[in-house]
DNA sequence: GTGAAAGCGCTAACAT
DNA sequence: ATGTTAGCGCTTTCAC
């Protein structure tokens, strides 16, 4: 493989001049630049990014570390949407994306440390999980740039992009109340998953406010917690139905859980859309297609990824922290209303 | 950041000895090794992977380039399964995965070239697309290691992992015939997508053989081609139904197309499972959950990814080409039969 | 506008 | 078992 020296020799200039052409630096005569470019072409020269990284002390690679094990991650449509958002924005900025999903869930933190310490990467997008605080501390100490999806602590002020579903759930609940529903189930997200710390954005808050406005109280029998999966949603709805056979609507914190609830309802002889209204939790494209008539909470996961990527790139460029961002989930009423 | 020299000084050994400890080379006295490790710990030393890469002339990074645009890719469950397979196997072998999905579909080939030429990566997994042949030629010339998912040419002999659905479709068709179905639809995969060259593994072959054995011929009115998407499946079934109102079963080449066909059937007033039997195309976990009663073709996409990753690692290690692999899709009869 | 020299942090080759 | 030397391919002073 030809190096910058080979090009320099052929073009009869110094290596530094070749480097200048490579990096589009201005102080090069047009005629010289042309000669250098011709030499590159003739030799089929391509710069070695690793050598440049070593000297520059940065790799132009962004890391994305996702805990929870690959089996879950690659089948979770929201994570894929976040990944897509991050990918698109960093790719277009000329960075590459190093994707790391610990095969075993328990390796998530050490994997993160490995990536960061070996500093192949210029920054990292990560999910807060239990135990991450120690790592964030190390990142801060080393002045290593990161953005978290959701917050790792309730008092985190900077460098996160989160989604707040409370307003969406409030609207969904109001909508259902207005339609005459009185026994409204809620399949909430787990208290300790992404945002394992932050109780304030539990869906229960929006749900409870809307009920309170209608002079109603939360009935514990109507509330369940799922684990974001189909199975979790299935079981949760089964439990709710057993306790509250009169349930006529259910709000789900995620689409897979909504699918589970739908199957549970149908297995129990209910006709979804007639006996039971299901509010899905993410409004994934697939959900819109499978169940076009159902209302939904719309989770801007893709935008979350985009903002996170953007924020990280700015962090890297400007070397300062940025205030965290909250994106509100929206309520999408059913088609034709 | 401390370097290998700092560690060497503190441990009172040479840098080379530190390097030996780092790489687990045998010829180090136990006592020395302990001293070095202690020094590393004291300094919070972590090796710089970029420097090692420059010297070693390899990065321990595998590239995965997926064409078709990120919007499609991250929402396609089969691609995600392949990605997961590749990811798991290379990760466990100590490699990192660089994921590259050109945001614009037309940039796929140049993206591939960029990755390869800058040789940040030790090898690449790629999909054959129109025009890829030129690039494969360059890869061969430079002795750069790659594995293709599906073949880029009918006569490709090495370095691919493909899925052959013909046997599965044959079994599916036989099953349906035995159950008494006579008007069996087929929503085939497009002739030019992954394996844009290879007509031999068109589903039509397995379909036609099974029909022929039963003394029947292929009725062109029952066959459509989709583009792997929900919309494609929807439209395809609509077309089939219009031409052949008596259709009682349909075999789909992918799960999203099966979802589309199901929706089309239901929109047309058919009850899936009673009026129409749908054989889904991939047997994704989600499909098993949403439609547990339907028969399916089972597409081993995850295994395809694993084999591709394995093959690439072997290619890199042994510096030789390997014969291509075909994985047969299976037919999975409906539950309870 | 261009060039010479030094060095990023590591490892391979060749000592001893 | 351990050390010395050189150099991977580039960019960064600092000079002219």
């Amino acid at each position: 493989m030809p190096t910058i020296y080979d090009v320099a020799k052929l073009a009869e200039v110094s290596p530094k001049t070749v480097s200048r052409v490579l990096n589009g630096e201005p102080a090069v005569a047009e005629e010289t630049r042309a000669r250098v470019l011709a030499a590159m072409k003739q030799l089929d020269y391509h710069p070695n990014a690793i050598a440049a990284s070593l000297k520059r002390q940065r790799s132009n690679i962004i890391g994305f570390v996702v805990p929870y094990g690959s089996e879950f991650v690659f089948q979770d449509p929201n994570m894929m949407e976040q990944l897509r958002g991050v990918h698109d924005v960093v790719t277009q900025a000329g960075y590459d994306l190093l994707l790391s999903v610990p095969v075993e869930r328990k390796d998530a933190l050490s994997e993160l440390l490995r990536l960061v310490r070996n500093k192949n990467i210029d920054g990292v997008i990560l999910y807060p999980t239990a135990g991450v605080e120690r790592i964030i501390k190390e990142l801060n100490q080393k002045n290593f740039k990161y953005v978290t999806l959701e917050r790792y602590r309730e008092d985190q002020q900077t460098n996160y992009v989160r989604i707040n579903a409370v307003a969406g759930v409030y609207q969904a609940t109001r909508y259902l109340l207005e339609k005459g529903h009185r026994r409204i189930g809620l399949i909430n997200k787990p208290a300790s998953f992404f945002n394992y710390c932050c109780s304030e954005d539990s869906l229960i808050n929006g749900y409870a406010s809307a009920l309170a406005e209608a002079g109603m109280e939360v009935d514990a029998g109507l509330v369940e917690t799922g684990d974001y999966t189909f199975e979790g949603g299935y079981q949760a709805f089964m439990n709710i139905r057993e306790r509250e056979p009169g349930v006529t609507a259910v709000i789900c914190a995620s689409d897979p859980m909504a699918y589970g609830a739908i199957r549970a309802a149908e297995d129990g002889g209910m006709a979804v859309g007639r006996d039971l209204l299901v509010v899905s939790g993410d409004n994934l494209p697939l959900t819109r297609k499978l169940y076009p008539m159902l209302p939904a909470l719309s989770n801007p996961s893709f935008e979350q990824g985009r903002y996170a990527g953007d924020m990280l790139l700015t962090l890297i460029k400007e070397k300062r922290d940025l205030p965290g961002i909250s994106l509100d989930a929206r309520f999408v009423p059913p088609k034709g209303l």
Side-chain angles (χ1 to χ4, degrees), chain A:
Chain A
M1 294 281 277
T3 74
I4 210 171
Y5 288 93
D6 303 320
V7 176
K9 197 176 290 174
L10 183 59
E12 297 179 305
V13 294
S14 76
K16 175 62 204 168
T17 299
V18 178
S19 171
R20 285 196 180 95
V21 172
L22 228 43
N23 295 291
E25 290 170 38
V28 182
E30 230 2 279
E31 190 263 338
T32 315
R33 147 174 274 104
R35 241 182 25 250
V36 170
L37 289 172
M40 286 179 178
K41 190 152 199 179
Q42 190 181 328
L43 295 172
D44 191 26
Y45 165 81
H46 299 283
N48 180 323
I50 292 182
S53 295
L54 179 57
K55 185 65 194 175
R56 286 203 188 109
Q57 301 284 63
R58 61 191 167 78
S59 62
N60 268 263
I61 298 178
I62 294 292
F64 191 5
V65 185
V66 191
Y68 309 122
S70 69
E71 200 162 6
F72 175 85
V73 170
F74 289 108
Q75 289 177 14
D76 183 83
N78 274 306
M79 291 212 175
M80 289 302 104
E81 282 295 280
Q82 293 168 333
L83 174 59
R84 179 166 76 92
V86 172
H87 170 276
D88 283 7
V89 81
V90 305
T91 297
Q92 297 220 310
Y95 283 77
D96 280 317
L97 185 69
L98 192 67
L99 176 66
S100 179
V101 183
V103 175
E104 296 291 331
R105 180 171 167 162
K106 65 176 166 44
D107 302 333
L109 294 182
S110 57
E111 172 61 14
L112 185 54
L113 276 179
R114 182 187 68 79
L115 269 185
V116 168
R117 286 177 171 156
N118 292 12
K119 70 178 178 86
N120 289 327
I121 58 173
D122 296 346
V124 66
I125 309 255
L126 58 98
Y127 288 91
T129 39
V132 84
E133 233 172 314
R134 188 169 51 81
I135 287 170
I136 301 255
K137 203 166 176 178
E138 181 168 342
L139 298 183
N140 283 332
Q141 261 170 24
K142 298 194 172 163
N143 209 22
F144 191 93
K145 296 308 174 194
Y146 65 91
V147 170
T148 63
L149 298 172
E150 298 296 339
R151 292 171 298 180
Y152 69 94
R153 267 201 340 227
E154 203 119 16
D155 63 355
Q156 183 182 1
Q157 307 271 336
T158 57
N159 305 354
Y160 66 81
V161 182
R162 60 191 279 267
I163 291 180
N164 189 345
V166 173
V169 173
Y170 169 80
Q171 287 164 37
T173 311
R174 271 196 61 159
Y175 171 87
L176 293 170
L177 288 168
E178 279 166 20
K179 290 286 163 195
H181 293 272
R182 283 299 170 267
R183 313 302 296 158
I184 302 170
L186 174 66
I187 301 180
N188 205 349
K189 61 184 176 180
S192 54
F193 203 74
F194 298 154
N195 48 348
Y196 67 101
C197 63
C198 304
S199 53
E200 79 182 69
D201 52 8
S202 169
L203 304 200
I204 196 91
N205 294 333
Y207 177 74
S209 324
L211 288 178
E213 281 183 18
M216 296 166 66
E217 280 190 357
V218 174
D219 175 350
L222 284 164
V223 179
E224 276 280 332
T225 296
D227 61 355
Y228 282 112
T229 67
F230 180 97
E231 289 76 12
Y234 189 97
Q235 192 54 51
F237 187 75
M238 283 298 193
N239 295 344
I240 290 176
R241 178 110 193 271
E242 193 175 311
R243 289 194 300 259
E244 301 272 353
V247 61
T248 62
V250 62
I251 300 172
C252 304
S254 87
D255 275 10
M257 293 200 293
Y259 302 159
I262 289 171
R263 175 114 316 277
E266 292 184 343
D267 285 355
M270 297 175 92
V272 170
R274 197 191 63 202
D275 309 329
L276 182 74
L277 206 51
V278 176
V279 181
S280 70
D282 306 313
N283 203 28
L284 298 167
L286 179 62
T287 306
R288 273 273 79 97
K289 291 168 187 164
L290 291 175
Y291 308 109
M293 311 313 283
L294 294 181
L297 300 173
S298 181
N299 226 352
S301 298
F302 174 67
E303 281 71 23
Q304 188 188 16
R306 286 195 62 92
Y307 279 113
D310 257 340
M311 186 180 276
L312 184 57
L313 294 178
T314 310
L315 249 42
I316 290 170
K317 203 179 309 163
E318 306 192 357
K319 300 178 201 306
R320 65 197 176 86
D321 290 341
L322 289 173
I325 295 177
S326 285
L327 303 174
D328 281 327
R330 282 175 20 249
F331 173 66
V332 183
K335 242 176 159 175
L337 285 186

